[in-house]
Amino acid sequence: PWLRLLLLEEHEQLDSEHEWQAGSDRIGQGDDCAESAETPGGLGAGSSFAQLRTRLQLFLYETLCNLRISEMFDIIIDFPDSEPALNDLKLALSKTHQYPQLVTSLHQTFERRLLHPGANTSDIITQYISTIKALHQLDPSGTTLAAISKPIQAYLRGRPDTVRSIVTGLTDDSSSELFQELRKG
C-alpha cells in the first residue's frame, strides 16, 4: 500500500512537471502548439517517459520484493502483526513473479534458523502453523505453501518428540497455537 501511494505521488509530480515544461516550451507558438504536440517526436517523448516510468516501477517492485523476501522469516514469526508487510510482498510478487526466489530463500532460512537439533519441537510446530497462515495470506492457491512445507514436515517426522509435542499442544488449554486452531474448528 505505501509503495502504491509513493508511485502515484511520483507519477502525479512527474506529470505536472512534464505539463509545466511543455507549456513553457509553447509560449509564443500560438496555434502551432496543437500541431507540434501531435508530431511523432512528441509521441516519442511521451512514450519514452512511459517506458521509463514502467521500468522504474518494476525496479521498485523488485527491490521491495527482495527486501521482504529477506525479512520473510521474521514476517512469519510476527504474523498476524506483520500483515501489512505481507500485503506489500503480495503486491510486489504479483508484479515481479519472484516466487522461486521466495521459496529458495525460505528453504535456506528454515534450514539455518529452525530445522536443527537445538530448536525446540514445540517452537518448530508453532512456526509451522504461522508459516501456513502467512503463506495462505500471501498465496491463496497453496502452491508456495506446498513447496515450503515439505522440508518442515520431513524434519518433524524425524524428531522423536513430535507426537508428544503435538498432543501436549492440543490438550494444553493455555496459549498453545494448536489448541487455538483446534477451538476454531
Side-chain angles (χ1 to χ4, degrees):
W2 65 269
L3 179 62
R4 185 177 301 150
L5 292 174
L6 177 68
L7 289 173
L8 288 174
E9 285 176 12
E10 289 295 319
H11 175 66
E12 290 171 0
Q13 182 181 6
L14 288 172
D15 279 351
S16 65
E17 288 174 6
H18 183 43
E19 288 172 10
W20 179 82
Q21 184 174 1
S24 65
D25 290 344
R26 293 182 192 140
I27 294 175
Q29 292 180 351
D31 291 337
D32 295 336
C33 311
E35 293 174 14
S36 66
E38 295 178 16
T39 61
L43 290 176
S47 177
S48 71
F49 173 73
Q51 287 176 343
L52 178 64
R53 187 182 73 216
T54 302
R55 292 173 94 188
L56 178 62
Q57 284 177 336
L58 182 60
F59 173 75
L60 289 173
Y61 282 126
E62 286 175 349
T63 303
L64 176 65
C65 206
N66 291 334
L67 173 70
R68 292 297 187 215
I69 286 173
S70 71
E71 298 171 339
M72 192 60 186
F73 187 83
D74 295 321
I75 290 171
I76 290 171
I77 288 174
D78 295 336
F79 189 81
D81 295 334
S82 62
E83 200 166 337
L86 206 55
N87 289 335
D88 285 343
L89 179 58
K90 184 177 184 176
L91 174 66
L93 283 171
S94 73
K95 305 291 183 183
T96 64
H97 306 289
Q98 290 178 283
Y99 289 100
Q101 291 92 326
L102 172 66
V103 171
T104 302
S105 175
L106 272 177
H107 274 283
Q108 292 170 350
T109 306
F110 282 151
E111 290 290 328
R112 188 177 68 253
R113 294 181 64 181
L114 189 67
L115 305 178
H116 56 81
N120 190 349
T121 303
S122 62
D123 292 339
I124 296 171
I125 293 169
T126 301
Q127 180 70 13
Y128 183 46
I129 293 169
S130 293
T131 301
I132 291 169
K133 291 177 181 178
L135 290 180
H136 181 70
Q137 172 86 18
L138 184 66
D139 179 19
S141 72
T143 307
T144 308
L145 176 61
I148 297 296
S149 64
K150 289 179 184 179
I152 300 171
Q153 291 171 352
Y155 186 78
L156 284 171
R157 279 191 208 106
R159 299 260 317 215
D161 61 340
T162 300
V163 174
R164 185 172 10 105
S165 293
I166 291 172
V167 170
T168 302
L170 288 173
T171 58
D172 184 17
D173 61 349
S174 64
S175 62
S176 167
E177 190 81 24
L178 280 172
F179 184 77
Q180 299 300 324
E181 289 299 313
L182 182 65
R183 285 182 60 184
K184 287 181 184 177

